[in-house]
Amino acid sequence: MKVASILQKDLLCEEWASYGVFYKYQPIDLVRKYFGEKIGLYFAWLGVYTQMLIPASIVGIIVFLYGCATVDENIPSMEMCDQRNNITMCPLCDRTCNYWKLSSACATARASHLFDNPATVFFSVFMALWAATFMEHWKRKQMRLNYRWDLTGFEEEEDHPRAEYEAKVLEKSLRKEYRNKETEKEKLTWKDRFPAYLTNFVSIIFMIGLTFAIVFGVIIYRISTAAALAISSSPSGRSNIRVTVTATAVIINLVVIIILDELYGCIARWLTQIEVPKTDKSFEERLIFKAFLLKFVNAYTPIFYVAFFKGRFVGRPGQYVYIFHSFRMEECAPGGCLMELCIQLSIIMLGKQLIQNNLFEIGIPKMKKLIRYLKLKRRRPVDHEEYMKKKQRYEIDYNLEPFAGLTPEYMEMIIQFGFVTLFVASFPLAPLFALLNNIIEIRLDAKKFVTELRRPVAVRAKDIGIWYNILRAVGKLAVIINAFVISFTSDFIPRLVYLYMYSESGTMHGFVNHTLSYFNVSDFQEGTAPKEPMELGNQICRYKDYREPPWSENKYEIAKDFWAVLAARLAFVIVFQNLVMFMSDFVDWIIPDIPKDISQQIHKEKVLMVEVFMKEEQGKLHLLETWRDKDKRKGENCNSHSPRSSMSHRGSVSSCHSCHVDV
């Protein structure tokens, strides 16, 4: 048995836990045989997820290339880049910022088209259907594995109470002085857990508030840094204000997310421990829920801000919205916030994958292993090498890092799944980067399980548990979020409204001018106007909004165009959401959960079992009838004897007696 285990481990090292075999399928059956069904299902799920990312990556690349191919034909970006338009824009901050030309934002407008084009709408629909197909494909794969691993009839046994729960119950019993052994066993009620529940609620609200506060602090940093760069003496600094502020703010967000992720994981475990769940399964599910909630908020809050809040509450020139009466809310770029959302999403996603998922997983275990080796060497400095040679295999394995469960492994993949699906309308290359990461992740996790961690106790399981429900919830949420991203963050809907309602030529010519409102510079509030005056003879600057011009009776009031665009946006959200949800449910319905060959094989096995059972029952019935006939014949033989003589009488009695005994 020991030799077989060593051979299996060596085979896993060669055929699975090696970067040189990244192109090969995983030996899932061998993984299950060595580690158990629960870990085998995780790697099977990771393999299916990575495999399904291939078509998503191909379509994402095609969408991106379409944007690259049509960037020179995009009329709105061409109009913004045309210096002959000579559109003067209102300053981006008070006093220190000057008036600027719209043509200076040409590069941003052209880059925005790479991700904000009609193909991204198709890609959002495709990814919603992809998520539904992935879930169905995994259910079918899981059913095949259940059949192959003889888990179709497996039912999880009732978990035994955890030692901590038993200790808490015993403490409660002693406190109430239950000394009668016949008394019903004490249980922990909601009253006993109320202080823990209250602590959980307050702590989670506090940590979510902390995440929001950090994002708000980064917003203040962005606003103040933009104002500082605007008065910089360096021309390059003034020309690259938006890129500099966005890049540095995203890096700050990334560092904070990585730090808080580790902190929130520890806090979630502590909060679950003080609840004292009864079973290990309950403990794991509560821990997963808390950790996912905190890490979801931590990872996506900065992205939600850029997608749905930045540039929405700015106000207008002469009546801006201020934070702390001094910081003016930041605006989106003239091409919209989608480009900035793409930068935010790509840096956070790639940074988390590269730093947290890969470097931490490689570096931290090796560092701990080195520390343990140095401590062991310090204890036996003389004959350390000789001692290490004499150690048995189980002694070497015992010095490895203990197995901490699959929750961290699933968690990083679920967060990545959110990056791939939730905001895919702004970053079509997300599936490609996820695919490249997962190709490395599979072999990295394999190497970690085989060489860096102690071999865990094998646990039987027939599914991935609560993670499947979380995946379904993220997939449903992705449809709603992508609908709002396309509708409110991109310029897709305003372009459609202009094309079919306001365009005189039936083309996109004049769209940029249509989205810009007019402002008379004499209406600036006192102390907010730029230090440098405008060009002579020009008292009008432009800003992106749908408002009445200063020469109108209701100057600076919201125009009718705004309400038309808003109605179209809301209508698009409703139509997109219901249409894609219907298509996803249709995919879910049309693809059976159990493969046809597996269902047929299970049906055949059930029929054979019924036939065997019926034959066995018929055999038992036949044997019983045979015994009854034999007993009946013996009884008849006993009754047929008559006492003719004393000798014959004695023989008859003995014969009947023998019959009675036989019976």
Side-chain angles (χ1 to χ4, degrees):
M1 191 71 176
K2 187 185 294 185
V3 175
S5 177
I6 294 174
L7 290 176
Q8 290 173 5
K9 185 172 183 179
D10 293 339
L11 188 59
L12 285 173
C13 287
E14 294 176 5
E15 299 296 329
W16 184 50
S18 174
Y19 296 110
V21 294
F22 71 92
Y23 58 91
K24 293 184 179 181
Y25 284 103
Q26 300 180 85
I28 294 299
D29 291 327
L30 185 58
V31 174
R32 170 250 177 181
K33 191 174 182 180
Y34 187 77
F35 290 108
E37 284 81 2
K38 192 169 185 177
I39 294 178
L41 282 173
Y42 163 71
F43 281 103
W45 173 83
L46 183 57
V48 170
Y49 172 47
T50 304
Q51 186 180 8
M52 287 293 294
L53 283 172
I54 296 175
S57 302
I58 294 173
V59 177
I61 293 172
I62 294 173
V63 170
F64 179 74
L65 293 178
Y66 171 81
C68 295
T70 57
V71 67
D72 292 329
E73 302 173 3
N74 184 40
I75 296 175
S77 62
M78 291 171 61
E79 289 184 346
M80 291 182 64
C81 294
D82 191 358
Q83 297 184 359
R84 293 174 297 179
N85 289 335
N86 199 28
I87 298 178
T88 303
M89 302 295 293
C90 297
L92 297 176
C93 63
D94 294 339
R95 300 188 64 185
T96 55
C97 297
N98 298 322
Y99 302 100
W100 55 286
K101 298 296 183 182
L102 183 62
S103 58
S104 64
C106 174
T108 305
R110 289 174 62 86
S112 297
H113 178 72
L114 302 179
F115 306 98
D116 188 5
N117 56 71
T120 56
V121 180
F122 159 77
F123 191 55
S124 299
V125 177
F126 171 81
M127 287 303 295
L129 299 179
W130 173 87
T133 307
F134 162 60
M135 301 303 296
E136 292 302 311
H137 181 46
W138 165 244
K139 282 195 290 188
R140 291 168 63 85
K141 177 69 174 179
Q142 184 175 260
M143 194 61 204
R144 287 187 180 278
L145 293 175
N146 285 341
Y147 179 75
R148 191 194 310 170
W149 294 348
D150 195 22
L151 295 171
T152 51
F154 170 72
E155 295 293 338
E156 294 185 3
E157 297 180 359
E158 185 178 354
D159 286 346
H160 297 290
R162 299 172 66 244
E164 292 82 356
Y165 179 84
E166 293 282 6
K168 202 73 175 178
V169 170
L170 180 60
E171 180 184 347
K172 180 180 178 181
S173 301
L174 293 175
R175 190 167 55 246
K176 289 189 174 183
E177 297 181 354
Y178 279 97
R179 297 181 179 179
N180 187 0
K181 294 183 179 180
E182 296 181 358
T183 305
E184 185 181 354
K185 188 175 180 181
E186 192 69 28
K187 296 180 181 179
L188 294 184
T189 62
W190 69 270
K191 293 182 179 179
D192 300 318
R193 290 194 173 103
F194 180 75
Y197 288 155
L198 183 61
T199 304
N200 271 259
F201 178 77
V202 173
S203 300
I204 290 174
I205 294 298
F206 172 77
M207 286 181 284
I208 292 176
L210 176 64
T211 303
F212 289 163
I214 292 174
V215 172
F216 183 74
V218 174
I219 295 172
I220 299 297
Y221 162 80
R222 295 163 67 106
I223 296 172
S224 57
T225 304
L229 290 176
I231 60 175
S232 173
S233 59
S234 172
S236 60
R238 291 196 301 270
S239 60
N240 298 317
I241 290 177
R242 198 176 296 275
V243 175
T244 304
V245 170
T246 301
T248 55
V250 172
I251 292 173
I252 293 173
N253 277 326
L254 174 62
V255 173
V256 171
I257 286 172
I258 292 175
I259 294 173
L260 289 183
D261 257 0
E262 302 300 322
L263 178 64
Y264 286 168
C266 298
I267 293 176
R269 179 169 291 276
W270 174 74
L271 291 175
T272 309
Q273 287 173 347
I274 64 175
E275 282 186 22
V276 196
K278 183 176 181 179
T279 62
D280 287 331
K281 183 178 180 181
S282 176
F283 180 89
E284 185 180 11
E285 289 180 350
R286 296 186 184 196
L287 173 62
I288 289 171
F289 176 76
K290 294 183 186 67
F292 176 74
L293 176 63
L294 294 174
K295 293 189 176 185
F296 182 90
V297 173
N298 182 40
Y300 298 118
T301 299
I303 302 174
F304 270 94
Y305 163 72
V306 175
F308 303 120
F309 295 98
K310 184 179 178 182
R312 308 293 173 194
F313 311 101
V314 177
R316 61 170 180 81
Q319 196 175 356
Y320 284 114
V321 177
Y322 292 89
I323 303 175
F324 302 137
H325 303 288
S326 56
F327 295 104
R328 200 175 97 186
M329 292 293 292
E330 55 181 345
E331 304 177 35
C332 290
C337 278
L338 199 68
M339 184 61 196
E340 188 171 341
L341 177 61
C342 173
I343 296 172
Q344 186 101 6
L345 180 64
S346 60
I347 292 179
I348 292 178
M349 178 181 175
L350 296 178
K352 275 181 65 64
Q353 290 182 354
L354 188 63
I355 298 173
Q356 192 173 22
N357 298 353
N358 293 332
L359 293 182
F360 281 12
E361 287 191 12
I362 296 173
I364 292 179
K366 288 189 177 297
M367 188 179 299
K368 290 181 178 179
K369 187 177 179 180
L370 177 62
I371 292 173
R372 287 194 301 271
Y373 175 80
L374 294 176
K375 287 182 178 179
L376 188 62
K377 189 175 182 180
R378 190 176 300 172
R379 292 176 184 175
R380 296 179 176 84
V382 180
D383 57 342
H384 176 73
E385 297 297 333
E386 190 67 25
Y387 174 77
M388 292 299 294
K389 291 179 182 178
K390 293 180 180 179
K391 290 187 72 172
Q392 298 293 326
R393 183 64 176 263
Y394 68 87
E395 293 179 295
I396 298 173
D397 291 345
Y398 180 76
N399 290 325
L400 297 175
E401 188 73 13
F403 176 67
L406 289 171
T407 299
E409 312 300 333
Y410 274 113
M411 188 67 70
E412 64 183 70
M413 288 297 106
I414 299 296
I415 295 296
Q416 184 202 84
F417 182 78
F419 284 124
V420 170
T421 55
L422 291 179
F423 297 94
V424 74
S426 64
F427 190 38
L429 296 179
L432 174 63
F433 289 112
L435 173 64
L436 297 176
N437 173 80
N438 287 5
I439 292 174
I440 301 173
E441 181 73 21
I442 290 176
R443 306 302 165 179
L444 179 63
D445 284 349
K447 193 174 184 63
K448 181 174 66 174
F449 271 79
V450 174
T451 62
E452 302 292 339
L453 298 177
R454 296 177 194 167
R455 182 180 178 182
V457 177
V459 178
R460 300 200 81 191
K462 62 187 303 182
D463 52 40
I464 60 175
I466 192 176
W467 296 109
Y468 181 81
N469 297 329
I470 294 176
L471 281 170
R472 286 188 64 89
V474 172
K476 298 294 183 183
L477 183 62
V479 177
I480 302 172
I481 291 179
N482 279 304
F484 278 94
V485 168
I486 295 171
S487 183
F488 287 90
T489 308
S490 74
D491 281 340
F492 177 74
I493 299 302
R495 289 172 184 169
L496 285 182
V497 172
Y498 176 78
L499 183 64
Y500 293 106
M501 291 183 62
Y502 300 104
S503 177
E504 298 177 356
S505 60
T507 63
M508 292 302 297
H509 287 287
F511 170 74
V512 174
N513 185 64
H514 177 75
T515 59
L516 298 177
S517 298
Y518 296 87
F519 179 74
N520 193 327
V521 297
S522 61
D523 293 332
F524 271 120
Q525 291 181 349
E526 185 178 356
T528 61
K531 295 179 180 179
E532 296 184 8
M534 293 190 67
E535 300 174 357
L536 294 176
N538 188 8
Q539 295 295 315
I540 298 294
C541 66
R542 310 290 295 276
Y543 61 99
K544 190 171 183 179
D545 205 348
Y546 293 100
R547 292 183 179 271
E548 297 290 343
W551 53 81
S552 172
E553 295 182 359
N554 302 317
K555 68 175 184 177
Y556 306 135
E557 294 293 327
I558 296 176
K560 295 180 180 179
D561 301 350
F562 172 83
W563 301 112
V565 172
L566 180 61
R569 282 174 164 164
L570 295 175
F572 176 83
V573 169
I574 295 172
V575 173
F576 181 91
Q577 176 184 339
N578 287 278
L579 178 63
V580 176
M581 286 285 190
F582 170 77
M583 295 171 68
S584 300
D585 292 339
F586 179 74
V587 170
D588 192 359
W589 172 76
I590 201 172
I591 300 177
D593 295 345
I594 304 176
K596 188 176 181 180
D597 57 335
I598 299 296
S599 61
Q600 290 177 349
Q601 193 67 26
I602 293 175
H603 178 69
K604 288 180 181 179
E605 291 179 358
K606 288 182 178 180
V607 171
L608 289 174
M609 288 180 64
V610 171
E611 289 179 357
V612 170
F613 178 76
M614 292 298 295
K615 287 181 180 179
E616 185 178 351
E617 291 298 317
Q618 288 175 0
K620 291 180 180 178
L621 184 61
H622 179 71
L623 183 60
L624 184 60
E625 290 177 353
T626 304
W627 287 348
R628 287 178 179 175
D629 292 341
K630 185 178 179 182
D631 293 343
K632 189 182 293 184
R633 287 196 299 271
K634 288 183 178 181
E636 291 175 354
N637 291 335
C638 291
N639 295 330
S640 63
H641 291 289
S642 58
R644 294 182 178 178
S645 61
S646 59
M647 184 66 81
S648 62
H649 177 73
R650 286 195 297 269
S652 175
V653 172
S654 62
S655 176
C656 289
H657 178 70
S658 64
C659 289
H660 177 72
V661 172
D662 289 343
V663 175

